[in-house]
Amino acid sequence: MDYFAHGFWSYILFHWMKKPWRAIAFGLLPDTGSWFIYMIYRIATFENIGQFSIEHIPDWVYTLYNISHSLFVAFAAIFAVYLIRKKLPVYMLAWPAAIVMDLFTHSREFLPTPFLWPISAWRFPGISWGNGYFMIGNYIAIALCFAYIFLIKKKK
């Protein structure tokens, strides 16, 4: 799923919280922890941002992608925070939620989601979020959910 859609869906799922921006941050974490860092690297090294070739992506980006898109890593981090705080940080659940969304919205041909890393390299055969029909349907669903949320909140 694209970066902005992760943020929108995180808000939709966790809008009921006092500080939904925390959930949005964790919903964006998988892509921020890999692709956003790579984008900053490209800017800092004066690489052409407009030209993108998957063959030229450094290995360290894929390592970050594996780590940030692993359900094992996400739940280990959530559990560690729980042990320290003695309270479940519910907003952190947006991180594994984003990984699950990616499972179904990434094909095996282009950036399949390494949700079982480091235990297994198996990837779910999802559909590409870059498919125009999916993208339109996804943003229509997001718009409908936002309309529902804001109409319900407006009534209260």
Side-chain angles (χ1 to χ4, degrees), residues 14-24 91:
F14 294 91
H15 72 276
W16 51 272
M17 300 187 80
K18 283 185 179 181
K19 298 178 182 176
W21 62 267
R22 290 178 176 173
I24 294 167
Y91 55 87

Side-chain angles (χ1 to χ4, degrees), residues 25-96:
F26 277 93
L28 295 173
L29 181 66
D31 290 338
T32 301
S34 55
W35 300 114
F36 186 76
I37 291 172
Y38 179 52
M39 184 185 77
I40 298 301
Y41 167 80
R42 288 186 62 152
I43 292 168
T45 58
F46 302 103
E47 289 188 35
N48 188 340
I49 301 301
Q51 293 179 340
F52 179 79
S53 174
I54 199 160
E55 295 84 25
H56 295 100
I57 297 172
D59 288 341
W60 61 265
V61 177
Y62 289 109
T63 300
L64 291 175
Y65 185 76
N66 289 341
I67 293 167
S68 65
H69 283 78
S70 169
L71 287 175
F72 291 110
V73 172
F75 283 117
I78 292 167
F79 186 64
V81 171
Y82 169 76
L83 289 176
I84 293 166
R85 295 183 62 206
K86 307 289 188 234
K87 183 178 176 187
L88 178 67
V90 176
Y91 55 87
M92 285 182 75
L93 294 175
W95 181 2

Side-chain angles (χ1 to χ4, degrees), residues 92-103:
M92 285 182 75
L93 294 175
W95 181 2
I99 295 169
V100 171
M101 287 181 222
D102 277 350
L103 276 177

